[in-house]
């Protein structure tokens, strides 16, 4: 007789679960309000999304999956949404890829990753999530790693659990799989039996049978109890020297001291297969903004390491009223620089989204002068070079989403403290606050400061000095025209080069 507790027991028809998800999205999308709906970021047509999943180049297309709750604008039992693109510029909506349908994923098809097998099929590893009591975490979770396979990258056949959780660890999830020297490796984040945040590794010859290898990394802070969404890959510096980058989203019992309680970042070090990871650097967050979490990377066919993050809207309550909630960041290329540090810059493809370009520079603003660059900007990229030697302003920068109600979001250089900030104290709706990236001493000594900002309909993503810092934030403007203005506070601002580019839609309206 079939064991009813077998995690692979079918409990619902998968095709039916997907059809239910699709019609729920269609219902929400029909009522959607578009005041903040992104034009060039990936979002669901309706419902809630979180982590990017299964990032891959498969069968001549980019595939981006994401955690999806199709039935409301809040987090709930997880499905996987899916979009694909041939060029990373124009995206196409694919049907929902996964819905809960086996006992193992009854309460959620949680995060995971994708790889192409030798047979040319797309293999997806994900966490099957159950609440022990079937309702919430109160009595613990049952989390196991599952496998699904697809011929076309769109329709999947679930093969069931491949990595069990015999110790019944409360947190044990987010498998990231890659192949090296003919062996498949999987890393998984967990809360260890002694309640520490750890990443463990497994190996397999056939992707079905996995052998536990050991602990790859244990977080040094005992307050950190879980490392979500681990990722691990080699990066070569320009001199050819290879380092390994270990990435995770750390859940902590106390404030991380880095503004966000749970924070996504990386440690650089060395690794030899079969051994634990040896960190060389301290932990660094990927992004200094309030809305960045759970990133995942993929290796592009041309060798680039590309990453998407989730713009986590956990505290932007007003984003939930419009029929959709949550978007991914832009794709970012991760590179290792000569000095051994990481740069994180918008993927090169994004330059081809540019439509109408305005050249403004050179611009000289007198103390307390404000100058309007655009009266009504749609989705926009801004490139700004600040001449640090000729700028005496205490703070200077660019106001975006500046609306008739007086609201705006301010992307500025704070000369007194050596910061680049995203100041949302005057933003019309949503969360307020002030987030800062601290410039390094050599950046403060440099002749210029380079800012590149992507202003979507409800967000800003700022890259500083070729990707040395990034700041992502939702920015929810009021009704009416959205102006862009330059401002110099109590001193002069010298801008040798200022450019704006209107950006085309990525086609996911
Ligand atoms: C990170 C995360 C993952 C989990 C998923 C569930 O945001 O908590 O650890 O797989 O979201 O939606």
């Amino acid at each position: 007789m079939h064991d009813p507790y077998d995690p692979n027991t079918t409990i619902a028809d998968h095709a039916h679960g997907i059809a239910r998800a699709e019609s729920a999205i269609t219902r929400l999308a029909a009522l959607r309000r578009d005041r903040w709906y992104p034009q060039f970021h990936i979002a669901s047509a309706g419902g809630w999304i979180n982590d990017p999943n299964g990032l891959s180049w498969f069968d001549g297309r980019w595939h981006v999956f994401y955690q999806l709750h199709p039935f409301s604008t809040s987090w709930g039992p997880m499905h996987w949404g899916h979009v694909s693109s041939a060029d990373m510029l124009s995206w196409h909506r694919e049907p929902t890829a996964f819905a809960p349908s086996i006992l193992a994923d009854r309460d959620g098809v949680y995060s995971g990753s994708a790889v192409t097998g030798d047979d040319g099929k797309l293999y997806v590893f994900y966490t099957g999530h159950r609440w022990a009591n079937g309702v919430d975490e109160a009595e613990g979770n049952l989390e196991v790693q599952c496998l699904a396979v697809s011929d076309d990258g769109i329709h999947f056949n679930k093969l069931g659990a491949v990595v069990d959780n015999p110790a019944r660890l409360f947190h044990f999830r987010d498998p990231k799989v890659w192949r090296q020297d003919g062996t498949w490796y999987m890393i998984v984040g967990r809360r260890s039996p002694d309640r520490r945040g750890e990443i463990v590794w497994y190996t397999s010859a056939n992707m079905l049978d996995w052998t536990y290898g050991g602990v790859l990394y244990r977080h040094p802070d005992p307050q950190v109890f879980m490392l979500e969404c681990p990722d691990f890959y080699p990066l070569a510096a320009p001199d050819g020297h290879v380092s390994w980058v270990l990435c995770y989203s750390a859940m902590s019992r106390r404030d991380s001291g880095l503004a966000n309680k749970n924070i996504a970042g990386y440690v650089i070090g060395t690794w030899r297969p079969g051994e634990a990871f040896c960190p060389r650097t301290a932990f660094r967050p990927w992004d200094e903004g309030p809305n960045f979490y759970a990133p995942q990377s993929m290796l592009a066919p041309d060798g680039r390491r590309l990453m998407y993050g989730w713009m986590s809207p956990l505290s932007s309550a007003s984003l939930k009223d419009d029929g959709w909630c949550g978007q991914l960041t832009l794709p970012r290329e991760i590179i290792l620089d000569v000095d051994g540090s990481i740069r994180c810059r918008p993927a090169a493809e994004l330059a081809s989204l540019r439509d109408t370009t305005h050249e403004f520079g050179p611009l000289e603003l007198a103390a307390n002068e404000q100058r309007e660059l655009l009266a009504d900007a749609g989705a926009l990229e801004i490139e700004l070079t600040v001449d640090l030697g000729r700028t005496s302003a205490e703070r200077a920068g660019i106001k975006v989403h500046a609306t008739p109600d007086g609201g705006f979001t301010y992307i500025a250089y704070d000369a007194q403290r050596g910061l680049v900030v995203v100041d949302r104290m005057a933003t019309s709706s949503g969360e307020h606050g002030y987030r800062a990236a601290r410039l390094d001493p050599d950046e403060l000594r440099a002749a210029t400061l380079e800012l590149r900002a992507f202003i979507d309909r409800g967000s800003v993503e700022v890259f500083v000095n070729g990707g040395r810092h990034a700041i992502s934030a939702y920015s929810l403007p009021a009704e009416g025209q959205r102006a862009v203005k330059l401002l110099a506070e109590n001193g002069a601002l010298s801008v040798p080069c200022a450019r704006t580019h209107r950006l085309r839609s990525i086609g996911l309206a």
Side-chain angles (χ1 to χ4, degrees):
M1 213 184 91
H2 188 68
D3 172 8
Y5 300 105
D6 177 351
N8 301 330
T9 305
T10 299
I11 56 162
D13 180 60
H14 196 211
H16 181 245
I18 286 172
R20 276 186 68 221
E22 288 300 302
S23 50
I25 293 168
T26 307
R27 270 198 307 279
L28 283 168
L31 300 171
R32 198 178 72 209
R33 284 222 275 173
D34 280 349
R35 53 190 172 163
W36 303 317
Y37 192 77
Q39 185 169 315
F40 57 87
H41 286 87
I42 293 170
S44 178
W48 159 280
I49 77 165
N50 50 287
D51 320 354
N53 291 156
L55 302 181
S56 42
W57 169 259
F58 177 74
D59 208 10
R61 294 180 76 79
W62 302 103
H63 291 265
V64 171
F65 302 83
Y66 45 82
Q67 290 282 280
L68 164 72
H69 184 235
F71 302 114
S72 81
T73 56
S74 297
W75 187 92
M78 283 288 129
H79 295 54
W80 277 33
H82 184 193
V83 293
S84 77
S85 170
D87 55 10
M88 222 179 250
L89 299 170
S90 155
W91 290 85
H92 173 74
R93 287 201 192 284
E94 304 290 359
T96 299
F98 295 117
S101 68
I102 58 175
L103 187 60
D105 63 25
R106 180 189 66 200
D107 300 321
V109 181
Y110 272 19
S111 285
S113 56
V115 286
T116 304
D118 286 331
D119 54 8
K121 298 181 184 194
L122 189 67
Y123 286 80
V124 159
F125 293 86
Y126 70 88
T127 298
H129 172 84
R130 269 175 290 170
W131 289 303
N133 63 10
V135 192
D136 59 27
E137 283 197 345
E139 285 153 52
N141 301 323
L142 301 175
E143 295 186 329
V144 295
Q145 315 319 322
C146 300
L147 175 59
V149 62
S150 172
D151 292 327
D152 60 3
I154 295 166
H155 304 94
F156 287 85
N157 181 23
K158 289 185 184 174
L159 303 182
V162 292
V163 175
D164 196 9
N165 179 359
R168 291 280 172 257
L169 297 172
F170 196 109
H171 298 286
F172 178 56
R173 57 178 177 270
D174 308 338
K176 181 81 199 292
V177 173
W178 75 98
R179 183 157 53 175
Q180 189 165 326
D181 308 326
T183 298
W184 294 101
Y185 285 81
M186 178 195 290
I187 54 169
V188 184
R190 72 174 195 179
R191 189 180 85 172
S192 68
D194 63 348
R195 298 175 175 235
R196 298 283 294 265
E198 281 183 348
I199 298 167
V200 291
W201 59 276
Y202 296 78
T203 52
S204 172
N206 60 8
M207 296 201 269
L208 287 169
D209 305 302
W210 291 88
T211 308
Y212 177 73
V215 175
L216 182 73
Y217 180 72
R218 180 176 170 90
H219 199 284
D221 181 352
Q223 297 298 325
V224 170
F225 62 89
M226 169 62 183
L227 302 178
E228 299 188 291
C229 302
D231 200 351
F232 193 44
Y233 46 83
L235 278 185
D239 64 4
H241 187 81
V242 173
S243 294
W244 279 79
V245 184
L246 182 69
C247 320
Y248 53 81
S249 294
M251 297 173 87
S252 179
R253 291 183 193 92
R254 65 147 186 255
D255 217 306
S256 60
L258 291 164
N260 295 345
K261 189 157 187 288
N262 295 338
I263 187 139
Y266 60 89
V267 178
I268 309 172
T270 51
W271 179 66
R272 277 208 304 266
E275 296 180 4
F277 169 71
C278 276
R280 186 181 75 228
T281 68
F283 176 84
R284 268 199 77 173
W286 283 116
D287 189 291
E288 313 277 352
N291 305 118
F292 184 93
Y293 198 64
Q296 184 179 101
S297 78
M298 66 176 146
L299 190 61
D302 61 7
R304 283 178 300 163
R305 180 59 59 172
L306 299 175
M307 175 176 85
Y308 280 90
W310 163 42
M311 286 196 63
S312 50
L314 292 176
S315 45
S316 276
S318 37
L319 206 56
K320 295 191 170 178
D321 302 337
D322 289 4
W324 69 284
C325 187
Q327 66 188 38
L328 302 186
T329 63
L330 293 172
R332 299 176 179 186
E333 184 184 357
I334 311 297
I335 59 167
L336 197 59
D337 218 336
V338 255
D339 65 356
S341 48
I342 278 182
R343 310 276 179 257
C344 184
R345 58 192 186 195
E349 282 83 347
L350 294 170
S352 303
L353 280 180
R354 292 173 180 169
D355 195 349
T356 316
T357 295
H358 278 91
E359 295 270 0
F360 296 91
L363 300 170
E364 304 291 335
L365 269 70
N368 297 315
E369 187 182 342
Q370 176 162 289
R371 196 175 301 175
E372 185 172 278
L373 297 186
L374 297 171
D376 190 14
L380 195 72
E381 179 188 343
I382 303 171
E383 294 180 284
L384 196 76
T385 306
V386 176
D387 184 328
L388 293 177
R390 301 184 57 218
T391 293
S392 56
E394 290 169 2
R395 200 166 64 147
I398 194 144
K399 289 180 173 179
V400 300
H401 287 163
T403 43
D405 66 339
F408 62 88
T409 295
Y410 190 27
I411 301 164
Y413 164 57
D414 178 334
Q416 296 190 86
R417 281 171 287 179
L419 309 171
V420 169
V421 306
V422 171
D423 181 346
R424 299 186 297 167
M425 292 310 293
T427 304
S428 296
S429 276
E431 201 185 33
H432 296 291
Y434 186 91
R435 289 302 178 101
R438 185 168 298 286
L439 297 172
D440 297 325
D442 65 308
E443 294 179 282
L444 290 168
R445 282 193 304 270
T448 56
L449 173 76
E450 308 275 349
L451 295 179
R452 199 169 160 202
F454 290 82
I455 316 302
D456 207 336
R457 299 190 43 78
S459 64
V460 301
E461 240 179 298
V462 182
F463 297 90
V464 183
N465 286 333
R468 286 175 67 144
H469 316 271
I471 308 176
S472 302
Y474 285 100
S475 164
L476 308 181
E479 294 301 318
Q481 297 200 329
R482 299 170 175 193
V484 174
K485 301 170 181 178
L486 267 187
L487 174 64
E489 295 178 72
N490 209 24
L493 167 64
S494 174
V495 172
C497 173
R499 240 182 252 135
T500 62
H501 313 275
R502 289 188 195 271
L503 297 184
R504 273 190 289 275
S505 160
I506 59 168
L508 293 178

